[in-house]
Amino acid sequence: MVAGELVQEHLRADAGAPDDITAVRKRPEPDGAAAEFYPTCGAEPAAGGEDARRALEPEVPPDEREAMLPNGGGEGGGGEALDKDRRELETKLYRRRFAVLVVFSLYSMVNAFQWIHYSIIANVFTRYYRVKNVSVDWLSVVYMVAYVPLIFPATWLLDRRGLRLTALLGSGLNCAGAWLKCASVSPERFGVTVGAQVVCSVAQVFILGLPSRIASVWFGPREVSTACATAVLGNQLGTAIGFLLPPVLVPNTPDDLELTGHNISIMFYGTAAVSTALFILTVIVIKDRPPLPPSPAQAVLPGSPLEDYSYKQSIINLMRNKAFILLLISYGILTGSFYSVSTLLNQMITDSFQNQELNAGRIGLTLVVAGMVGSILCGLWLDHTKTYKITTLIVYVLSFVGMMVFTFTLNLDNIYLVFLTAGVLGFFMTGYLPLGFEFGVEITYPESEGTSSGLLNAFAQIFGIIFTLIQGKLTTDFNPLAGNLFLSAWILLGVLLTALIKSELKRHNVNMGANSNNLQTPPVDCPEDCPLQNKTNGVKLEPSVSFSRETSL
């Protein structure tokens, strides 16, 4: 019974279900006003008209069909207007998309490096600045604290002013914070290094929400999940380098503070130089969007913000989406757990293994590099199968298993076993990050990718703050086992919440509908009595739309 239903559902999805998705473009106004989209309002085509039209039209080659939105139901609209609308909805992929992705990934990498490079050698900085462990922990926590209040103006800026300005702010502030750290190399200037880290944390607000936006507006439907995973990969790579390089560049020299300061200067000046070069590349390379959209799902959205666009309404729409609320909480739990483990890894390893600061960094590197592999594999898998919920749930369950194994093998006095268990934990826990982004975009389409990603990251930061402070307290007052068990209990709750998410493949359905001649763009105006309940900032969907659910591979 179940197998039969899965096969039938799979066949319906392959056929481009649902058949009743209809997007109608309003004719461009002479004064160049922004185009708007409306649904058809119940008008039925003339009997036999559709069959006759299809019989007379020549077969469109598959490559050309993928490069444009098909015309459907435009009788009476005029051939010239139809051709114009078809050209406006043409799709194309540009080589520049790879340069945009690489530059973003690199400056995101530097920002992540600056987040973790204090925590992984916390014992060195506590001795150099003569502060307590909790003070160095706050140099990591400040990234999470700054994100929560600033994400709303940052996503508003992304939606209203576009990708380029947001990217420039992220890269520029990251560069400014890196240079400010160069002035903080003195035992009496801990306040300066806190200020510099605050600047870098503000830069992060304009970085973390961009992967899904870059993937959606620059990459095609068959590569969007891989592109998002690659963009997230840059941030993970920065965390990996932040685990690896600081213990090498700034070794523990407790008897020579001058040498310690010299080593810290080398790390800070090198970071500032790289940040400057990447800011220049950001100015040159990153643009808001390509001249033509890369996918049908982007083609049916307005090319620029509409006059009636409401950021507040977008937030309200997302908060009314029950599936997205469940994803917000579950994503926040797992990603917040990753932030907490990354921040406190040095303390956990040095508590169980004496004088192993260098190996603590290597274990962190293993954790993140394994996660990078997991991210890419998950992105490729999603592009191939579009099984968002089942993939997310499986990765979540395996993250819980990995956390439990890591917890109970940490105190077995076998450093090599810790390397192995950290790699398993990182593969699934870090590999989950792009899954959450793409799943969120899928179930909230056509809302802005920046808004959904921003909210996901905001919840991740909130949980990260709470988990880091509580786990840090449990680790200090008791032992790492107590802190890790605390995280494991929350991850188990996240598994249950993920299982409750109702998966509707909205963006995927629009792409499938376009490729199956079910997405129509007749140049007719929508009457004033069109229902408004499905309006989403200039985009409307039919009340009868029934999005296919993910039930098979």
Side-chain angles (χ1 to χ4, degrees), residues 395-408:
V395 170
Y396 216 124
V397 171
L398 293 176
S399 296
F400 170 72
V401 174
M403 189 68 202
M404 293 297 292
V405 173
F406 176 79
T407 298
F408 288 104

Side-chain angles (χ1 to χ4, degrees), residues 1 24 38 42 67 75 116 120 158 176 191 200 202 286 291 294 310 339 342 346 355 421 433 453 518 553:
M1 174 71 71
V24 184
Y38 299 93
E75 286 99 8
I116 204 65
I120 198 60
L158 177 61
C200 293
V202 175
I286 294 187
S310 172
Y339 291 159
S342 300
N346 175 270
N355 301 318
T421 57
L433 302 182
S453 298
N518 292 321
L553 298 185

Side-chain angles (χ1 to χ4, degrees), residues 80-154:
E80 184 177 347
L82 291 178
D83 290 340
K84 185 174 182 180
D85 277 344
R86 179 174 295 182
R87 288 194 302 269
E88 287 177 354
L89 295 176
E90 210 176 4
T91 63
K92 182 178 179 180
L93 295 177
Y94 294 85
R95 293 181 180 178
R96 189 188 190 97
R97 70 190 189 278
F98 297 112
V100 171
L101 184 62
V102 169
V103 171
F104 168 78
S105 297
L106 289 177
Y107 78 73
S108 177
M109 174 191 74
V110 176
N111 184 258
F113 173 82
Q114 296 198 82
W115 163 57
I116 204 65
H117 66 179
Y118 288 110
S119 297
I120 198 60
I121 49 173
N123 57 324
V124 174
F125 280 105
T126 54
R127 188 176 294 107
Y128 181 74
Y129 285 114
R130 296 189 290 271
V131 295
K132 296 180 180 180
N133 273 333
V134 66
S135 299
V136 177
D137 289 345
W138 270 98
L139 293 176
S140 172
V141 174
V142 70
Y143 261 60
M144 310 173 202
V145 173
Y147 192 92
V148 177
L150 294 179
I151 184 54
F152 297 103

Side-chain angles (χ1 to χ4, degrees), residues 187-199:
E188 292 78 27
R189 297 178 185 171
F190 184 71
V192 178
T193 205
V194 170
Q197 192 73 340
V198 169
V199 174

